[in-house]
């Protein structure tokens, strides 16, 4: 209910204030009647001035279709759909792709419509689910959702030829012959390059073929890294795009590849080898693309805007990286540094020399009280650690995302991100 104190007096308010005066004399009563008569006229006048009820905002029309209705664990079927308002395409709007296992819808990824109101994306699934497109309300339209589509899980094998037929429209023409080999982990593989990516089949036994798609965004960096015969190895899932900050992530035997077109360090996919912890590996891959980011104003930047809290953001940067890598549970999601430390303490902190992939608390000037946080990318033999950190003050007073080498004596405590 709206608070009348914030909306001004109405006719009802005036009448209440007059009757509460309760004059006792005849003159008073006559005076009151005159006032009430005036109030009645005022009420009539006000009623004529009341605006007609505003028309309800129009409801957009959304559609969604899926390339596959049966998928294997780790596959990311191609989704496409349209968004229209009163029959006209809505361009440049962000659509949320939601999934439902039972009754509750949850956000998976987002996608933006093109000039024709069309969006194309994919969503990785490990369980059967319903999938729909959702558009939140704005000043111009009401919220709306598409009819859901369902995907089921299957354990059926999939050869390279079968996946090639399924993805023919998006693969384009073959640009290499069909190649065979054995990965560093001893897995028999077949692969082929196309104008818009790779297909790679792994066979761990008779009738157990699984084929993964490597998108054009990852194809050239993957080739330069040595492709399937390198340390990075063979894919273990399709790429997942539409992550926070428009990132794309794909997992391999030996690590991950991540690309962020908004990244400051590079817009090309980078390969990050496993640290021993899935979540921290993804966080490091994400943070590498942010190197060199300088906040535009004091505590005003993409990370504080995402969190909604304008505070020191070294810990917030680590939380953001977890979400951007699809690992929202990796590190605490806190409103400030002190709360971050308290939540980390509840998870359990370790002392001494940290591990690669650990989130570390750092103290400056030989103190024992941590005032800063980062993530360890390498533990060096000389008693130092390499880190990625946000909110690091520069000589000119700006604060940015940087790579640092710190002595382990600065580390007051550390913890591994939750997988």
């Amino acid at each position: 209910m709206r608070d009348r104190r914030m909306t001004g007096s109405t006719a009802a308010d005036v009448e209440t204030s007059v009757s509460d005066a309760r004059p006792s004399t005849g003159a008073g009563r006559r005076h009151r009647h005159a006032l009430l008569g005036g109030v009645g006229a005022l009420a009539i006048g006000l009623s004529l001035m009341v605006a007609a009820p505003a028309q309800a905002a129009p409801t957009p029309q959304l559609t969604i279709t899926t390339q596959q209705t049966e998928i294997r664990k780790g596959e990311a079927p191609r989704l496409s759909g349209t968004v229209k308002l009163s029959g006209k395409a809505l361009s440049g709007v962000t659509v949320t792709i939601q999934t439902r296992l039972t009754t509750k819808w949850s956000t998976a990824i987002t996608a933006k419509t093109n000039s024709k109101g069309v969006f194309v994306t994919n969503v990785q699934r490990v369980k059967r689910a319903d999938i729909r497109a959702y558009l939140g309300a704005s000043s111009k339209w009401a919220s709306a959702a598409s009819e859901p589509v369902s995907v089921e899980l299957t354990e059926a094998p999939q050869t390279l030829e079968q996946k090639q037929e399924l993805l023919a429209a998006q693969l384009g023409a073959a640009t290499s012959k069909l190649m065979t080999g054995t990965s560093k982990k001893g897995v028999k593989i077949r692969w082929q390059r196309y104008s818009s990516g790779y297909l790679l089949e792994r066979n761990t036994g008779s009738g157990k073929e699984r084929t993964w798609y490597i998108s054009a965004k990852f194809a050239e960096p993957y080739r330069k890294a040595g492709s399937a015969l390198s340390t990075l190895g063979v894919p273990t899932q399709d790429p997942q795009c539409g992550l926070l900050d428009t990132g794309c992530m794909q997992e391999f035997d030996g690590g991950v590849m991540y690309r962020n077109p908004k990244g400051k360090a590079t817009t090309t996919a980078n390969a990050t080898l496993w640290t021993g912890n899935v979540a921290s590996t993804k966080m490091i891959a994400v943070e590498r693309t942010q190197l060199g980011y300088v906040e535009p104003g004091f505590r005003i930047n993409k990370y504080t805007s995402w969190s909604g809290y304008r505070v020191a953001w070294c810990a917030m940067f680590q939380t953001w990286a977890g979400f951007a890598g699809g690992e929202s549970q990796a590190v605490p999601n806190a409103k400030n540094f002190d709360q971050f430390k308290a939540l980390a303490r509840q998870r359990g902190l370790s002392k001494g020399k940290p591990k690669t992939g650990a989130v570390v608390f750092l103290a400056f000037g030989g103190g024992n009280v941590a005032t800063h946080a980062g993530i360890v990318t390498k533990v060096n033999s000389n008693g130092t650690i390499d880190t990625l950190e946000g909110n690091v003050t520069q000589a000119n007073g700006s604060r940015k995302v940087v790579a640092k080498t710190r002595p382990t004596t600065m580390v007051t405590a550390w913890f591994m991100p939750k997988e």
Side-chain angles (χ1 to χ4, degrees):
M1 182 180 293
R2 295 176 64 188
D3 188 342
R4 286 181 175 175
R5 291 171 296 179
M6 302 300 292
T7 58
S9 296
T10 65
D13 294 327
V14 174
E15 288 175 348
T16 300
S17 64
V18 172
S19 62
D20 285 347
R22 302 184 187 278
S24 58
T25 64
R29 285 193 296 272
R30 286 192 297 273
H31 180 63
R32 185 181 67 176
H33 293 159
L35 282 173
L36 289 173
V39 169
L42 176 61
I44 293 172
L46 287 174
S47 67
L48 295 175
M49 296 170 61
V50 173
Q55 291 184 344
T59 301
Q61 298 80 46
L62 281 74
T63 66
I64 189 170
T65 59
T66 179
Q67 187 180 41
Q68 298 168 246
T69 55
E70 286 191 347
I71 63 172
R72 294 145 193 86
K73 184 178 179 180
E75 280 192 304
R78 180 184 172 100
L79 302 171
S80 61
T82 61
V83 183
K84 295 183 178 180
L85 184 65
S86 302
K88 296 183 179 180
L90 272 180
S91 64
V93 297
T94 299
V95 178
T96 300
I97 306 302
Q98 298 180 326
T99 61
R100 178 179 65 184
L101 296 178
T102 53
T103 59
K104 184 179 179 181
W105 290 100
S106 59
T107 296
I109 56 176
T110 60
K112 185 168 285 190
T113 59
N114 63 16
S115 60
K116 296 182 180 180
V118 175
F119 63 88
V120 179
T121 186
N122 63 345
V123 60
Q124 199 173 92
R125 297 303 311 154
V126 294
K127 298 180 180 179
R128 70 145 309 276
D130 298 324
I131 304 173
R132 73 178 186 181
Y134 173 82
L135 182 65
S138 77
S139 60
K140 297 180 180 179
W141 57 75
S143 62
S146 69
E147 289 294 321
V149 295
S150 297
V151 293
E152 302 288 340
L153 284 186
T154 178
E155 295 184 0
Q158 186 182 60
T159 65
L160 185 146
E161 289 78 11
Q162 288 172 327
K163 191 140 187 170
Q164 180 184 28
E165 182 178 356
L166 180 67
L167 303 183
Q170 67 193 79
L171 283 171
T175 58
S176 78
K177 64 180 182 180
L178 182 64
M179 295 170 278
T180 62
T182 303
S183 74
K184 280 186 174 293
K185 292 196 173 184
V187 177
K188 293 181 180 180
I189 53 178
R190 296 194 301 153
W191 70 96
Q192 190 163 16
R193 290 199 303 272
Y194 303 82
S195 58
S196 295
Y198 269 79
L199 285 184
L200 194 150
E201 175 196 280
R202 57 191 297 155
N203 192 333
T204 54
S206 178
K208 300 292 185 181
E209 299 91 352
R210 292 294 301 274
T211 303
W212 301 107
Y213 168 59
I214 302 173
S215 71
K217 295 180 176 67
F218 293 143
E220 186 60 19
Y222 184 61
R223 186 189 68 79
K224 288 182 177 180
S227 65
L229 305 179
S230 70
T231 305
L232 189 60
V234 182
T236 57
Q237 59 179 214
D238 284 342
Q240 172 69 81
C241 294
L243 297 170
L244 177 65
D245 211 38
T246 68
C248 288
M249 181 82 70
Q250 187 164 15
E251 296 184 27
F252 295 77
D253 282 332
V256 301
M257 293 192 76
Y258 176 77
R259 177 181 181 271
N260 185 330
K262 297 181 180 179
K264 298 297 292 185
T266 177
T267 57
T268 302
N270 68 71
T272 301
L273 300 183
W274 292 119
T275 65
N277 179 288
V278 171
S280 69
T281 304
K282 293 181 178 181
M283 288 173 62
I284 290 170
V286 169
E287 292 184 31
R288 282 177 171 164
T289 66
Q290 303 300 299
L291 284 169
Y293 175 87
V294 180
E295 67 173 1
F298 181 61
R299 293 180 178 173
I300 301 175
N301 53 69
K302 65 192 294 183
Y303 317 113
T304 57
S305 296
W306 168 79
S307 73
Y309 299 106
R310 186 178 169 181
V311 295
W313 49 278
C314 61
M316 191 175 292
F317 175 61
Q318 301 302 325
T319 303
W320 178 89
F323 275 81
E327 300 287 334
S328 59
Q329 78 296 329
V331 297
N333 187 1
K335 64 182 180 181
N336 57 43
F337 185 71
D338 287 339
Q339 186 184 64
F340 184 87
K341 287 196 295 184
L343 292 173
R345 196 175 299 115
Q346 292 176 13
R347 293 190 177 193
L349 296 177
S350 298
K351 300 287 186 180
K353 187 177 180 180
K355 297 179 181 179
T356 299
V359 174
V360 290
F361 290 105
L362 303 171
F364 293 90
N368 294 319
V369 178
T371 57
H372 189 60
I375 191 168
V376 179
T377 60
K378 184 181 180 182
V379 178
N380 302 311
S381 59
N382 63 355
T384 64
I385 53 175
D386 294 341
T387 61
L388 294 170
E389 304 169 17
N391 195 35
V392 178
T393 305
Q394 306 302 293
N396 62 1
S398 66
R399 290 169 174 79
K400 64 190 297 186
V401 177
V402 299
K404 301 289 287 186
T405 298
R406 306 285 195 184
T408 53
T409 53
M410 287 183 63
V411 179
T412 63
W414 56 274
F415 68 94
M416 295 302 297
K418 186 182 294 184
E419 298 182 278

